[in-house]
Amino acid sequence: NQDATVYVGDLDPKVNEAILWELFLQAGPVVNVHIPRDKLTKEHMSYGFVEFQSEVDADYAIKIMNMIKLYGKPIRVNKASRDKQTHDVGANLFVGNLDPEVDEKQLYDTFRVFGVLIAAPKIMRDPQTNNSRGFGFINFDSFEAADAAIDALNGQYICNRPISVSYAFKKDSKTERHGSMAERILAAGNPHRLS
């Protein structure tokens, strides 16, 4: 049942079907768990699907399980049917001056009120210590959501620090930011936008 199935992404290599089953049982009766694996290495590709008995349970799982940490990594949980349609239009934000205590779940809860996030918030961390480097990135499915988040949150305090929120620089560019008129025109014609 596609409507009662959730996509679970950003899974740690240690996660298996039994662990997902146990975890998602907290949200409601689970019917099936599937984690696609590489045919040769037998390792999973860091995502899976959990099917519930009802769509209500799937929706509840999205509400309570999205961004919780499993083996220290925040997992992404959303509707399975929706995940195939997400498309990066370039509504990507840079969030700076983050307090070390701010985690991905807190960023998710802060930014999701403005629109659909197409990826889990990413806080840049030191590879050795896993400590926050004080900045991160948010990807929305629309420029309207990104604009609203900038207007509402730039300069606002999270954990006693005023955060800065702006369009992120494009990859491989030190001067060109996301949010340009060209990107907005392309996004307006994008048939995969979530609404």
Side-chain angles (χ1 to χ4, degrees):
N1 178 359
Q2 184 82 5
D3 291 330
T5 302
V6 297
Y7 164 93
V8 188
D10 302 333
L11 296 177
D12 184 273
K14 292 190 282 290
V15 176
N16 60 26
E17 285 84 350
I19 290 170
L20 277 193
W21 189 291
E22 281 295 317
L23 178 66
F24 281 87
L25 206 52
Q26 313 305 311
V30 173
V31 176
N32 187 28
V33 174
H34 175 63
I35 301 177
R37 295 181 182 280
D38 183 287
K39 285 181 176 59
L40 295 175
T41 66
K42 302 293 184 223
E43 290 176 7
H44 66 69
M45 282 93 92
S46 76
Y47 70 92
F49 300 93
V50 178
E51 183 184 351
F52 289 92
Q53 278 182 3
S54 75
E55 190 174 350
V56 173
D57 294 328
D59 291 339
Y60 183 61
I62 292 167
K63 277 199 185 82
I64 65 167
M65 300 292 186
N66 194 31
M67 301 307 301
I68 67 158
K69 286 185 178 167
L70 199 52
Y71 292 108
K73 286 176 73 175
I75 62 172
R76 188 159 61 102
V77 183
N78 54 29
K79 270 288 170 75
S81 54
R82 167 176 277 186
D83 204 72
K84 289 196 271 301
Q85 299 164 350
T86 56
H87 181 72
D88 189 350
V89 295
N92 306 333
L93 301 182
F94 170 85
V95 185
N97 200 34
L98 291 175
D99 184 275
E101 297 300 308
V102 174
D103 66 4
E104 289 81 358
K105 172 95 171 103
Q106 194 168 1
L107 273 192
Y108 174 79
D109 289 340
T110 303
F111 281 86
R112 74 177 177 166
V113 297
F114 298 98
V116 176
L117 300 178
I118 63 168
K122 180 137 184 75
I123 292 177
M124 302 314 287
R125 297 184 175 280
D126 180 290
Q128 268 77 46
T129 65
N130 204 34
N131 291 339
S132 168
R133 290 171 50 199
F135 66 95
F137 298 94
I138 303 283
N139 295 355
F140 282 107
D141 80 326
S142 74
F143 288 104
E144 294 82 3
D147 290 341
I150 291 170
D151 291 344
L153 295 175
N154 189 37
Q156 292 299 314
Y157 283 74
I158 297 183
C159 291
N160 299 318
R161 268 200 199 177
I163 62 168
S164 65
V165 183
S166 61
Y167 277 102
F169 284 110
K170 291 184 176 182
K171 280 192 171 89
D172 307 323
S173 173
K174 298 261 189 282
T175 56
E176 197 180 357
R177 290 185 183 270
H178 284 288
S180 68
M181 191 49 70
E183 273 187 326
R184 290 169 188 266
I185 291 167
L186 284 171
N190 174 13
H192 294 297
R193 240 206 62 213
L194 303 171
S195 51

